[in-house]
Amino acid sequence: MMSKEYYRLFDLCVESNIHLNIAQIQPCQPDVIIEVGEWKPACVDDDSVEFEIDGLNNIIVDIHDMAKFTIKNGNYMNIVPHNEDYWKNEIVTYIVGVAFATLLLQRNVFSIHGSAICANNHAFIIVGEAGAGKSSIAREFIQSGYKLLSDDLSAISIKNQLDVIPSFPTQKMWKNTMDAYESSPDPSKKIFHDVDKFYVDAQDHFEEASKQLGGIIWLEESEVEQVALTKLEKNQALEVLLIHAFIEDMVEKLGLKAQQFILLSHVLSHVDVYHLERPINQFTVKEQVRIIKEKLFEQIKNKV
Amino acid sequence: MEKERVFIKKEGIQPAQLGDELAMLNVDSGEYFVINEVGKDVWEQIDGEKNVQQVIEELTKTYDADSEEIEKDVSVFIKELEEAKVISEVQR
């Protein structure tokens, strides 16, 4: 087994005995411990998933074709891989994705499925279906000098105000998105062995401090001729957030649906959801960024 | 008589403040709906004891509108809340 390393993930200090190639190593006093144990074959030889939930603070998720995850008390995660030569990046992705979001639920922090960008000292979360173009627009924001707060999973803290917590300085990106930016993927950063998606380092463009939530952007491909941005009514906005809540099935299994509903409604009492529609099969990402800068970011600036 | 009916909030309905409006989740079914400020006031008055007439009287005290208008609003919202299955009539 590897020696211990320390990382900052979701504003928590994490001690891990598996190398997390999505963040920089930095010494700290651990809040969370991640332990990967010796591999053991799964009890069932298929791709099914089994849950064992003994209260909020004792959760086991056994993904039979990957690993068994035990998540406890918002401060401990144990992982038993089910293959001897497991695809490490896949396990790391699950650790800092679904498993970490579950651990955050134990800390009373809910997450939204979307990336967050920092602009004018506020966080803007971008949600959308797979293929809507979230990582492209996030990349374009980074190229335009904005900082990334989180990729794919935006955790919201309600401690003082509504804050988006910085996750870790890496983006997950499709190879064809990278092609558009003429960057070539690093083979060692392939996330799944059978999918053309890679980690892309965003260390130099990462915002390390929590930022107050400024708004939510719902990106969708639609029948429009030009990129369009409209503010949604609250009831529509609620529907969008409920659809894009992260690990919905886990929230339900843990009996936290009512709590999540209150939180999302609370979020929408403070910020709006904007529908960003982009024409099908056109490369309009620069225009998307221009419209958001003009209509959304400027507005926040004027409010401050 | 319509105004003598008494309603009660159903169990398992989680209300949540949504700006000026009120969102309600049926925790079992996952269905939810949103009502405006007036609807919210009607919802808050429903307690399994006051009948519709008394609800109207309560709201007339707080609102600066004629009772006929309030009466109309209340019956609209009660119907809406009943259809959304977040309140039910108390059978006596």
Side-chain angles (χ1 to χ4, degrees):
Chain A
M1 242 334 111
M2 250 189 57
S3 61
K4 290 164 187 166
E5 289 174 344
Y6 297 86
Y7 302 90
R8 199 136 197 105
L9 306 178
F10 296 95
D11 218 14
L12 292 167
C13 174
V14 177
E15 177 193 299
S16 172
N17 70 350
I18 183 174
H19 179 62
L20 303 175
N21 56 351
I22 45 92
Q24 301 279 329
I25 293 168
Q26 56 181 97
C28 50
Q29 251 331 60
D31 304 299
V32 175
I33 290 170
I34 296 175
E35 269 179 355
V36 178
E38 291 296 319
W39 82 279
K40 251 184 230 159
C43 50
V44 192
D45 187 21
D46 60 17
D47 61 357
S48 59
V49 180
E50 201 178 319
F51 291 88
E52 245 178 82
I53 293 168
D54 181 17
L56 176 62
N57 283 316
N58 204 347
I59 300 167
I60 298 173
V61 186
D62 195 347
I63 305 169
H64 294 134
D65 64 352
M66 193 197 331
K68 180 175 175 173
F69 294 80
T70 304
I71 304 154
K72 284 188 173 180
N73 304 317
N75 61 18
Y76 177 76
M77 210 186 280
N78 181 277
I79 299 114
V80 178
H82 286 322
N83 293 298
E84 196 170 1
D85 54 345
Y86 53 90
W87 196 266
K88 224 169 167 185
N89 287 347
E90 181 184 48
I91 295 217
V92 169
T93 297
Y94 197 86
I95 289 175
V96 298
V98 176
F100 222 97
T102 304
L103 182 136
L104 289 173
L105 284 177
Q106 294 174 332
R107 290 177 163 262
N108 196 26
V109 172
F110 286 81
S111 305
I112 288 176
H113 192 180
S115 302
I117 290 293
C118 176
N120 294 336
N121 218 25
H122 283 72
F124 291 85
I125 301 175
I126 304 156
V127 301
E129 296 286 297
K134 293 181 303 251
S135 57
S136 296
I137 195 173
R139 195 74 221 164
E140 185 64 30
F141 274 120
I142 289 172
Q143 300 274 329
S144 321
Y146 293 93
K147 285 191 165 172
L148 181 76
L149 260 167
S150 67
D151 178 68
D152 202 33
L153 158 58
S154 295
I156 296 179
S157 148
I158 46 168
K159 248 186 261 160
N160 307 310
Q161 51 190 17
L162 283 170
D163 279 341
V164 176
I165 300 169
S167 60
F168 48 84
T170 297
Q171 273 195 287
K172 291 196 284 287
M173 210 170 286
W174 290 99
K175 189 179 173 300
N176 56 10
T177 308
M178 297 178 74
D179 292 344
Y181 288 96
E182 289 168 1
S183 59
S184 48
D186 173 350
S188 75
K189 297 209 162 179
K190 196 163 195 272
I191 300 171
F192 307 103
H193 65 93
D194 54 350
V195 180
D196 243 359
K197 223 172 177 180
F198 295 83
Y199 290 137
V200 178
D201 179 53
Q203 186 65 40
D204 297 338
H205 312 279
F206 186 62
E207 175 53 61
E208 289 179 3
S210 292
K211 292 290 167 188
Q212 187 178 356
L213 182 60
I216 295 159
I217 299 154
W218 169 36
L219 176 58
E220 197 183 38
E221 220 183 26
S222 84
E223 299 288 336
V224 288
E225 288 188 0
Q226 294 173 356
V227 177
L229 187 74
T230 43
K231 186 162 98 178
L232 295 184
E233 296 290 331
K234 294 289 180 194
N235 55 350
Q236 266 181 301
L238 182 60
E239 190 179 340
V240 170
L241 280 202
L242 284 166
I243 289 171
H244 294 100
F246 202 67
I247 52 169
E248 193 52 35
D249 54 339
M250 182 67 80
V251 168
E252 192 171 343
K253 282 195 174 71
L254 295 173
L256 296 174
K257 264 177 79 179
Q259 225 173 305
Q260 180 194 53
F261 189 74
I262 294 170
L263 173 89
L264 295 180
S265 301
H266 180 66
V267 165
L268 294 175
S269 299
H270 293 269
V271 301
D272 286 304
V273 174
Y274 296 84
H275 192 190
L276 179 65
E277 293 171 278
R278 66 174 182 96
I280 297 164
N281 291 332
Q282 285 180 42
F283 190 74
T284 53
V285 69
K286 286 193 192 315
E287 177 65 4
Q288 294 164 34
V289 165
R290 191 191 65 79
I291 287 184
I292 289 172
K293 271 161 80 171
E294 184 187 303
K295 291 197 175 169
L296 261 182
F297 295 172
E298 288 302 315
Q299 196 182 318
I300 283 284
K301 203 151 95 190
N302 297 337
K303 231 166 77 179
V304 173
Chain B
M1 174 62 188
E2 196 67 13
K3 285 184 188 170
E4 283 165 13
R5 296 169 79 193
V6 175
F7 289 90
I8 189 162
K9 290 169 185 156
K10 281 203 181 174
E11 274 179 35
I13 304 297
Q14 177 64 59
Q17 193 73 38
L18 180 69
D20 296 330
E21 302 173 314
L22 190 73
M24 287 185 219
L25 172 75
N26 181 325
V27 178
D28 292 328
S29 70
E31 287 170 41
Y32 65 93
F33 90 127
V34 177
I35 51 174
N36 69 17
E37 251 181 303
V38 185
K40 195 175 94 184
D41 289 337
V42 175
W43 162 261
E44 276 160 8
Q45 289 296 329
I46 286 167
D47 58 2
E49 303 212 342
K50 285 200 261 318
N51 64 26
V52 175
Q53 179 59 37
Q54 288 164 319
V55 170
I56 293 167
E57 281 164 19
E58 279 299 318
L59 291 176
T60 313
K61 283 185 210 160
T62 46
Y63 275 100
D64 191 21
D66 58 282
S67 59
E68 223 170 277
E69 212 172 300
I70 288 174
E71 217 176 295
K72 221 171 76 194
D73 280 344
V74 169
S75 74
V76 166
F77 277 109
I78 287 204
K79 198 162 166 244
E80 217 174 277
L81 294 168
E82 204 181 359
E83 276 169 8
K85 300 195 180 82
V86 297
I87 62 171
S88 59
E89 190 170 355
V90 178
Q91 302 298 338
R92 298 192 281 194

